[in-house]
Amino acid sequence: MRLILLGPPGAGKGTQAARLEKHFGIKQLSTGDMLRAAVASGSEIGQQAKAVMERGELVSDEIVVGIISDVVDQDEVANGYILDGFPRTVAQAEALDAMLREKSSKLDCVVEMKVDDSVLVARITGRYTCAKCGAGYHKEFQKPQTEGVCDNCGGTEFKTRADDNEETVKSRLVAYHAQTAPLIDYYGKKGLLRSVDGMADIDEVTKEIVSVLEKVKAA
Ligand code: AMP
């Protein structure tokens, strides 16, 4: 199964992608994670992306399309994948279509996670991850069971993203509405779009997405 999770920053794409990865045995491909790894490694791409990401703007289509075209060819995604944070512009969506056509492959579904802007800033500015395994938490909405200890790996060090501050979040929302939201219409016209309520409780959202995808699989 090949799918896209579409939604604004803070909609819960990363959280749900990690759960779907386990449920369906398909790989999460997050361009944000790949770019953060590139920034951390100091590679040429990382150097080009760093300042753009810190401003909350979008990295060039050329860079992200290049990154994605490298990974969708790998054996580990032969079973399928969940695109998280890609495509983010119509040009990226068109490049993805061309990539898939070339491989005689296709998307099965685009899941839009609908969340009101009013809650996104609070969601993003409170989130943090385990420095060891990357499990995601939130100061208010998703605390670890034991304070200061990761539920998943027992790690005790946590980190926050450089772009998860209020000012950058606002720019990221502007970028989402101007450049990414048109994809709702793009995939709607192709008959691939399914929308879920991203405002619901995390487990509820997972159930809804799994149910949507089971129906798509069975069709
Ligand atoms: P994310 O982790 O998906 O929130 O992405 C973090 C940042 O990485 C974004 O604000 C962008 O600067 C950059 N980024 C991630 N994915 C893309 C993409 N598909 N196109 C352009 N920029 C991206």
Side-chain angles (χ1 to χ4, degrees):
M1 165 137 35
R2 293 173 200 85
L3 65 120
I4 294 173
L5 285 185
L6 189 63
K13 300 186 297 294
T15 302
Q16 297 299 333
R19 290 169 166 222
L20 297 172
E21 184 171 46
K22 281 195 192 135
H23 187 96
F24 290 102
I26 53 178
K27 195 101 179 97
Q28 170 186 11
L29 299 178
S30 157
T31 41
D33 284 350
M34 294 173 207
L35 288 166
R36 280 184 286 281
V39 171
S41 76
S43 68
E44 204 184 316
I45 285 180
Q47 287 173 33
Q48 287 173 37
K50 188 171 186 283
V52 180
M53 292 171 77
E54 280 170 2
R55 287 198 302 271
E57 294 168 8
L58 294 186
V59 173
S60 76
D61 291 334
E62 193 190 345
I63 287 182
V64 286
V65 168
I67 292 179
I68 281 290
S69 64
D70 285 345
V71 290
V72 292
D73 268 340
Q74 291 169 3
D75 289 346
E76 57 176 347
V77 301
N79 213 12
Y81 46 77
I82 306 150
L83 292 171
D84 159 13
F86 179 92
R88 250 180 165 96
T89 63
V90 170
Q92 290 177 21
E94 287 169 349
L96 176 64
D97 284 345
M99 241 182 264
L100 291 168
R101 248 195 325 271
E102 205 175 292
K103 297 177 212 308
S104 304
S105 174
K106 64 176 181 55
L107 286 171
D108 296 292
C109 189
V110 177
V111 179
E112 181 206 0
M113 299 175 63
K114 281 183 176 290
V115 181
D116 294 346
D117 271 14
S118 58
V119 305
L120 293 171
V121 176
R123 277 193 183 190
I124 295 179
T125 52
R127 67 188 185 179
Y128 61 97
T129 53
C130 170
K132 200 165 149 199
C133 75
Y137 297 98
H138 191 282
K139 275 194 260 175
E140 240 180 285
F141 314 129
Q142 203 192 353
K143 298 179 188 170
Q145 275 161 10
T146 307
E147 205 188 319
V149 182
C150 174
D151 296 339
N152 190 42
C153 75
T156 52
E157 273 182 44
F158 297 89
K159 56 182 184 182
T160 50
R161 278 170 47 171
D163 59 348
D164 277 353
N165 59 76
E166 195 165 337
E167 196 188 331
T168 310
V169 171
K170 287 184 178 153
S171 308
R172 288 160 64 196
L173 283 174
V174 169
Y176 175 77
H177 288 293
Q179 293 166 275
T180 310
L183 295 179
I184 296 168
D185 197 38
Y186 181 91
Y187 288 116
K189 285 189 178 136
K190 288 182 185 282
L192 286 171
L193 191 78
R194 304 286 181 279
S195 297
V196 301
D197 175 15
M199 303 281 283
D201 172 86
I202 297 177
D203 290 341
E204 273 308 308
V205 179
T206 308
K207 266 193 216 154
E208 207 184 332
I209 299 178
V210 168
S211 141
V212 161
L213 296 175
E214 294 292 2
K215 279 187 202 133
V216 168
K217 255 173 94 176

